[in-house]
Amino acid sequence: MSLSEKSIEIRYFSGYIRNWKKLCAELGIKQDLSRAEREAEIIKNAYVKWNTSMQEHLCGMFAIALFDESDGKLFFVRDQVGQKQMFYSVIGGELICSGDIDEIASTEGFEKRLNKRMLQQYLFYGYPIGEETFYEGIFKLMPGHFGEWNGKEVKISRYFMPAFNPDRSKSVDEFAKEIEDVVEEILSEEKDDPEFPYKESFLSGGVDSSYLLAAGDAVCANTVGYEESGFDESALARQTAEILGKDFRVKMISPEEYFERIPTVIDKMGQPLGDASAVAFSIGCKAVKEHADVVYSGEGIDEFFGGYNAHKREIPKEWTYLTCSHIMSEQVISEMLNDYDDSVKVEAPIEKLWSEVQGQEELDKKLTVDISLWLEGDIYLNTDRTSTACGIELHTPFSDVRLFNVASRIPAEYKFMNEQNKYAFRKAASGKLPDEVAFRKKVGFPVPVRNWLKDERFNKPIEEKLFGEASKKFFNQQVIKDMWERYLGGEDLLWNRVYAVYAFLLWYDLKF
């Protein structure tokens, strides 16, 4: 059946289809269309040609919902690793899909009710994990999944799983060359797009963003910095930019600006997020928007190639790997919550996936879990919502499924090698970067929140939330008081608990 014989309505689309030239040629679409026109034609024609397997032909980031009038079905899908958000809910007999959870929560006929199970999970992980959301009745479409709605029921199916299958017939040098070739393929597609004549890039000074800057077409690098020693890495980023001959800008963040920005970030995030770096990233995006509309960022590499220390640590065989991020223990949560529910287990969002990856090697099991849950639930939630709220388009070329397909075949001994993490990727990057950059210790965008939260010049709004009416509704005030006083008294490691509780309370007051 041709497109002319089939009426397809795009209900929602957010993202960037990177391999558009190839798809235009394959689907008979003119390449001189505007971006909006070509993407609409690609989506419609791809659905007609491949139906519910259309997404397997798309490379990039996407969340799509389309209605097929010929059979009365709504089809919605999210990219392989979840770079773009997608939520859904049945309201008044109709399925509502959107990448903005607030849009669904504000739909006429939807009754807002807090999902207390998610609150309990969030306090453990620090981010909204899994299919449930903070709203009863609104669900997240997980990465690599699609949904179908026939007017009566929703059917969810998985089309992609980030599974690993090591190939030990190749050397680390051969894999490095393969990485180089795929990076070149991906970035050549970005460079060839006439819609984006000017791009900039985020740069932390670490290998991921440095390689992206070296191999891509961004003309200027951007980073954030702080006056506090031990947190400001802008000097490293500047050094890398100078080596590569790129322009460089640094946005210095003061505690005043940081705390002023938190409510906006939590509001636009849609759900609470205990990741304090999201605020710094938002300030960085706001600064970039002054001179660019499209910016590169290097997300995906740590999860694809093994970049965290948690990936090295052995866990007992009887344990479930609970992603690389934890905020507090179940015991602390049980003491903190007024309505702690023993039936809500922290393993619940992971158990099914963990059982499915048991055939993989130890490192690969962890990476599959982190890609499926942590990467999409924390990192991409942060980058997608903050960049969108600031009006810039964030491109994450290293999250392309084609690069994962290479990573999935690299043995663990090539990922952690010579006391380096993600070694094979670093080896590839060394073709574009000096060794002191390619093999530099992992860096990122650390934020001195652990210090700022103690300063009474800035922390009054936090204290007000911790002991306000909403807090009394959910939390044991003696436990909150003890946590706060211990933190102020010198237990610096409690800062992330304080911030996570504050982020939830701020979100709750904004949304309810």
Side-chain angles (χ1 to χ4, degrees):
M1 184 179 290
S2 67
L3 183 58
S4 61
E5 298 172 290
K6 204 173 178 71
S7 182
I8 307 296
E9 176 192 354
I10 298 175
R11 294 277 179 89
Y12 181 86
F13 172 65
S14 176
Y16 175 58
I17 300 173
R18 187 171 291 112
N19 62 332
W20 62 273
K21 273 193 174 181
K22 177 183 177 182
L23 289 170
C24 284
E26 191 166 358
L27 296 170
I29 299 168
K30 294 180 180 179
Q31 292 191 7
D32 60 355
L33 298 175
S34 69
R35 177 190 172 183
E37 290 173 324
R38 84 184 184 211
E39 286 182 333
E41 288 299 303
I42 287 171
I43 290 168
K44 291 178 180 180
N45 281 276
Y47 182 75
V48 169
K49 184 176 180 66
W50 296 302
N51 202 256
T52 58
S53 64
M54 60 168 283
Q55 64 281 351
E56 297 173 31
H57 300 265
L58 309 183
C59 294
M61 54 182 184
F62 53 86
I64 301 167
L66 53 85
F67 183 68
D68 183 350
E69 293 184 7
S70 63
D71 59 13
K73 286 187 178 180
L74 180 68
F75 170 77
F76 55 108
V77 64
R78 192 176 176 195
D79 66 68
Q80 293 89 344
V81 292
Q83 297 162 82
K84 303 299 290 186
Q85 303 293 301
M86 177 61 92
F87 303 93
Y88 65 96
S89 180
V90 178
I91 304 172
E94 182 180 357
L95 185 75
I96 308 297
C97 300
S98 177
D100 184 352
I101 196 171
D102 289 334
E103 182 180 335
I104 299 177
S106 61
T107 299
E108 184 178 353
F110 181 77
E111 181 183 349
K112 286 186 180 180
R113 298 190 310 277
L114 180 71
N115 181 353
K116 291 185 178 181
R117 296 183 302 279
M118 180 54 74
L119 171 58
Q120 201 162 308
Q121 299 282 18
Y122 161 81
L123 292 174
F124 182 87
Y125 290 101
Y127 60 95
I129 186 172
E131 296 174 282
E132 293 195 46
T133 72
F134 271 86
Y135 294 101
E136 292 280 5
I138 299 181
F139 300 92
K140 181 199 303 176
L141 182 67
M142 296 301 288
H145 285 69
F146 66 85
E148 298 170 277
W149 165 254
N150 61 9
K152 296 180 180 179
E153 60 181 358
V154 180
K155 179 185 176 183
I156 303 296
S157 305
R158 182 169 66 193
Y159 71 90
F160 175 84
M161 180 175 174
F164 290 78
N165 185 24
D167 176 4
R168 289 185 166 83
S169 69
K170 289 188 174 184
S171 68
V172 67
D173 289 334
E174 288 175 314
F175 274 119
K177 179 62 168 62
E178 195 171 343
I179 293 168
E180 288 184 74
D181 291 344
V182 172
V183 166
E184 174 63 29
E185 177 187 359
I186 291 168
L187 289 176
S188 67
E189 292 172 347
E190 292 268 1
K191 294 174 185 177
D192 288 346
D193 195 333
E195 293 276 344
F196 306 115
Y198 179 82
K199 303 190 195 79
E200 297 192 2
S201 189
F202 282 121
L203 178 65
S204 70
V207 63
D208 307 351
S209 56
S210 297
Y211 187 17
L212 181 54
L213 182 65
D217 56 334
V219 299
C220 181
N222 297 266
T223 194
V224 297
Y226 312 93
E227 291 184 358
E228 287 78 4
S229 61
F231 291 91
D232 182 32
E233 295 175 341
S234 61
L236 280 177
R238 182 184 298 276
Q239 183 185 66
T240 301
E242 288 176 352
I243 290 171
L244 298 175
K246 302 285 187 176
D247 293 337
F248 180 77
R249 293 187 180 95
V250 58
K251 167 61 181 175
M252 298 301 292
I253 299 178
S254 67
E256 292 90 346
E257 185 175 17
Y258 182 90
F259 283 105
E260 182 182 350
R261 190 70 177 172
I262 294 177
T264 298
V265 172
I266 295 299
D267 182 31
K268 299 299 184 181
M269 199 68 62
Q271 296 193 84
L273 181 63
D275 187 343
S277 69
V279 182
F281 191 75
S282 175
I283 294 172
C285 287
K286 183 182 177 184
V288 169
K289 179 60 180 174
E290 294 177 5
H291 34 79
D293 293 319
V294 180
V295 62
Y296 288 131
S297 192
E299 279 75 24
I301 297 303
D302 286 321
E303 293 78 12
F304 289 5
F305 292 90
Y308 300 124
N309 289 331
H311 295 151
K312 298 179 184 177
R313 291 193 290 266
E314 291 187 14
I315 62 173
K317 290 186 176 180
E318 66 274 14
W319 286 19
T320 299
Y321 174 69
L322 302 177
T323 80
C324 61
S325 175
H326 309 138
I327 298 294
M328 57 187 91
S329 69
E330 287 183 280
Q331 181 178 343
V332 170
I333 298 168
S334 68
E335 295 168 352
M336 181 180 289
L337 282 175
N338 291 334
D339 300 320
Y340 181 79
D341 186 347
D342 286 314
S343 69
V344 178
K345 303 299 182 184
V346 296
E347 299 91 347
I350 297 174
E351 282 179 327
K352 184 176 184 294
L353 178 62
W354 189 244
S355 68
E356 292 174 336
V357 300
Q358 287 312 299
Q360 295 186 180
E361 296 182 5
E362 195 65 26
L363 171 64
D364 296 337
K365 289 191 290 187
K366 294 177 181 178
L367 296 181
T368 296
V369 168
D370 278 335
I371 293 168
S372 301
L373 296 165
W374 148 261
L375 180 60
E376 78 85 22
D378 185 322
I379 306 300
Y380 290 144
L381 171 63
N382 167 6
T383 56
D384 180 38
R385 299 309 302 156
T386 51
S387 59
T388 300
C390 291
I392 63 172
E393 183 166 328
L394 190 79
H395 286 202
T396 51
F398 287 165
S399 294
D400 194 291
V401 68
R402 290 168 289 186
L403 193 53
F404 170 79
N405 290 338
V406 179
S408 69
R409 293 182 283 107
I410 298 177
E413 56 266 30
Y414 295 162
K415 290 173 179 171
F416 291 112
M417 190 176 184
N418 298 341
E419 298 184 355
Q420 290 275 358
N421 56 13
K422 51 193 178 189
Y423 181 83
F425 181 80
R426 292 179 184 274
K427 185 77 173 174
S430 67
K432 295 276 188 186
L433 300 168
D435 282 357
E436 63 265 27
V437 178
F439 295 97
R440 182 183 286 158
K441 182 181 177 183
K442 176 178 170 57
V443 292
F445 287 100
V447 186
V449 178
R450 66 179 64 197
N451 298 340
W452 292 345
L453 281 170
K454 290 183 178 180
D455 196 322
E456 61 183 16
R457 292 176 298 170
F458 315 121
N459 67 17
K460 289 305 177 186
I462 286 80
E463 195 170 66
E464 290 171 5
K465 291 296 181 187
L466 291 179
F467 303 105
E469 290 305 310
S471 182
K472 293 173 185 175
K473 183 176 181 178
F474 297 105
F475 300 112
N476 182 318
Q477 292 300 286
Q478 187 55 51
V479 174
I480 296 293
K481 183 172 183 287
D482 178 64
M483 175 185 69
W484 183 238
E485 290 180 348
R486 285 167 58 199
Y487 166 67
L488 294 178
E491 293 189 44
D492 287 2
L493 294 180
L494 293 176
W495 77 268
N496 56 358
R497 296 185 190 178
V498 171
Y499 183 83
V501 171
Y502 167 64
F504 164 73
L505 292 170
L506 177 58
W507 173 84
Y508 183 80
D509 282 342
L510 285 168
K511 305 302 180 182
F512 287 85

